[in-house]
Amino acid sequence: MNEDDDLPEEDAPEFDSATDPKQLKRKVQRKKFEADEAGDFWRHALSVETGRREVWKILEAAGTFKTNFSASPVGFPDRDATMFILGQRELGQWLWRALTVHDRDGVWLMQSENDEAFKALLQPARKSRTVNVD
């Protein structure tokens, strides 16, 4: 980047000034750098089978692809438990969207490898049989 990026954190100003163009430019550069770095991380994670499998496990554990409503032991709806489950799901959906933004092809491959409904997409197409009727 530039020499300002090499400043130790303690030398950086405590608050960013909205009127200082130098600080604003530095903030924009830092955000872009962090976004690029995140993209590189997720693309790398999705580039190997182990990474795709483990990310899929995280998404499933968060309940990203299901809708759950909780009930108490007597069958009465439990609003607090449902909200907790929905919070986990929101986190999974946030991760799913971030992955899709950074590596759409890697997400497709991950889903094709791990989601039963999509596994058939990875199988080679079967040759159709033609019957000659003479």
Side-chain angles (χ1 to χ4, degrees), residues 5-124:
D5 289 335
D6 297 331
L7 289 175
E9 287 300 317
E10 64 269 1
D11 291 345
E14 187 175 347
F15 300 102
D16 289 332
S17 170
T19 60
D20 184 357
K22 187 175 178 182
Q23 284 186 9
L24 181 61
K25 181 180 178 185
R26 183 176 175 183
K27 186 176 184 177
V28 168
Q29 286 176 334
R30 187 172 303 262
K31 279 190 171 215
K32 184 182 179 335
F33 175 76
E34 288 174 0
D36 291 345
E37 204 173 40
D40 291 344
F41 172 80
W42 289 120
R43 277 187 292 281
H44 176 71
L46 294 175
S47 71
V48 293
E49 186 177 353
T50 304
R52 292 188 300 272
R53 183 180 61 241
E54 294 305 310
V55 169
W56 187 260
K57 286 180 186 178
I58 292 168
L59 291 168
E60 281 195 326
T64 306
F65 309 110
K66 341 181 241 191
T67 302
N68 289 331
F69 295 95
S70 236
S72 68
V74 296
F76 192 75
D78 187 342
R79 195 186 100 198
D80 293 334
T82 298
M83 290 296 124
F84 178 78
I85 291 168
L86 289 175
Q88 289 179 316
R89 183 175 179 218
E90 285 291 319
L91 178 61
Q93 289 176 340
W94 172 85
L95 178 57
W96 178 259
R97 183 180 181 284
L99 291 168
T100 304
V101 165
H102 291 299
D103 189 5
R104 186 177 300 259
D105 293 335
V107 169
W108 182 88
L109 182 57
M110 174 181 66
Q111 189 169 18
S112 299
E113 291 172 342
N114 296 287
D115 188 338
E116 291 299 323
F118 287 81
K119 281 188 177 182
L121 296 175
L122 289 180
Q123 303 301 323

